[in-house]
Amino acid sequence: MKSPARSRPKAAPKLVKPGRIQSVLKTLGSEIAQDMIPVGATLPPEHDLESRFGVGRGVVREAIKTLAAKGLVTVRPRHGTHVRPRGDWSLLDRDVLSWLVGTDEPNRALLLALQEVRLIIEPAAAALAAERATAKDRKRINAALAAMEASHDVPTAIIADKAFHLAIIDATHNPVLQGFRGAIDTILSAVFMVATGSPGWFNENLPNHAIAAHAITEGNAEKAHAAMRQVLGYTQFKLSSKKKYGRNAQISAGETKPKRKRRVA
């Protein structure tokens, strides 16, 4: 007696390489954010995107799915994929912020808008940190401050400055506020792009950072809140200045070029 025929198992779907998805996602996301694909426009059909990027349908669909999850596009069967209004985008998403900022000097109006968000979040975070920081949290904050004060080059100064602000966010022990870490990190990167070459920007703001750190160490929430507003207010003032600062900014006549540039934002 013959045994019953067994159905052949279906072949497992091919795994989509994450690197390919990220490449398509970054390119399309940047083109949307930079208005190369404007609001209301329809993205090219899937087969055109497959040909352009040299990838399969699965890669394109995953990239579009991620764009939709971030609010950049809406997908409607038989109507195509359309770019949504900017107000619908997840603007505090780390990827979206990176695409908006781009690799060149960011738009000053965008930076000011981002600074307003920081003014809402970070002073409150500093106050909570003053109330809730553990001994380990305070050690991290003060270590970051010491690293800023001791920095001799751009990369280490940027790392230290970011570590300072992110350590304060972590010291709130509020999971919602900690969810802003990625956004704050990206915003700081954008600020540093503009700040490079701006005379006195960082050294002049370093004492405000020190006051904030000491207030947190002392457990003085009101003082910490005020000090962080000073930190961000100084940056806001510099960004609002009519004088343009950027990578190629020159020190004005009569000023002595500082030996050390600290990235303090």
Side-chain angles (χ1 to χ4, degrees), residues 3-4 36 62 71 76 81 99 120 137 146 161 240:
S3 59
M36 296 171 66
E62 284 298 318
R76 295 173 60 193
T81 302
W99 300 331
I120 294 169
D137 293 328
D161 198 348
S240 301

Side-chain angles (χ1 to χ4, degrees), residues 22 25-35 63-73 83-103 106 110 114 182-187 190:
Q22 286 301 316
L25 176 65
K26 182 178 180 180
T27 300
L28 292 177
S30 297
E31 290 177 354
I32 293 170
Q34 301 300 324
D35 288 327
I64 297 298
K65 183 179 178 181
T66 303
L67 289 173
K70 296 177 185 296
L72 273 68
V73 301
V83 178
R84 299 175 66 180
R86 186 163 293 196
D88 294 336
W89 300 1
S90 300
L91 292 177
L92 290 181
D93 179 273
R94 188 168 190 164
D95 288 336
V96 177
L97 275 176
S98 296
W99 300 331
L100 283 166
V101 168
T103 55
L110 172 61
L114 294 173
I184 296 298
D185 192 345
T186 304
I187 292 170

Side-chain angles (χ1 to χ4, degrees), residues 2 48 72 77 121 142 147 192 230 240 262:
K2 293 182 179 181
D48 288 353
L72 273 68
I121 296 171
N142 285 300
F192 292 139
Q230 283 292 109
S240 301
R262 299 186 183 122

Side-chain angles (χ1 to χ4, degrees), residues 182-216:
I184 296 298
D185 192 345
T186 304
I187 292 170
L188 285 169
S189 295
V191 170
F192 292 139
M193 285 186 193
V194 174
T196 302
S198 171
W201 188 326
F202 307 110
N203 289 337
E204 291 170 9
N205 206 13
L206 191 56
N208 293 326
H209 284 71
I211 293 171
H214 296 156
I216 292 170

Side-chain angles (χ1 to χ4, degrees), residues 3 7 9 17 23 35 40 65 75-76 94 107 112 122 140 146 149 180 189 196-197 221 243-244 252 255-256:
S3 59
S7 59
K17 293 184 178 180
S23 177
D35 288 327
K65 183 179 178 181
V75 182
R76 295 173 60 193
R94 188 168 190 164
N107 178 280
L112 287 170
E122 293 195 62
R140 279 185 61 201
E149 293 171 338
F180 286 101
S189 295
T196 302
K243 186 175 181 179
K244 290 187 177 181
S252 60
E255 284 188 303
T256 303

Side-chain angles (χ1 to χ4, degrees), residues 144-162:
L145 176 66
M148 281 192 286
E149 293 171 338
S151 62
H152 291 276
D153 57 73
V154 174
T156 57
I158 288 176
I159 291 170
D161 198 348
K162 284 186 176 183

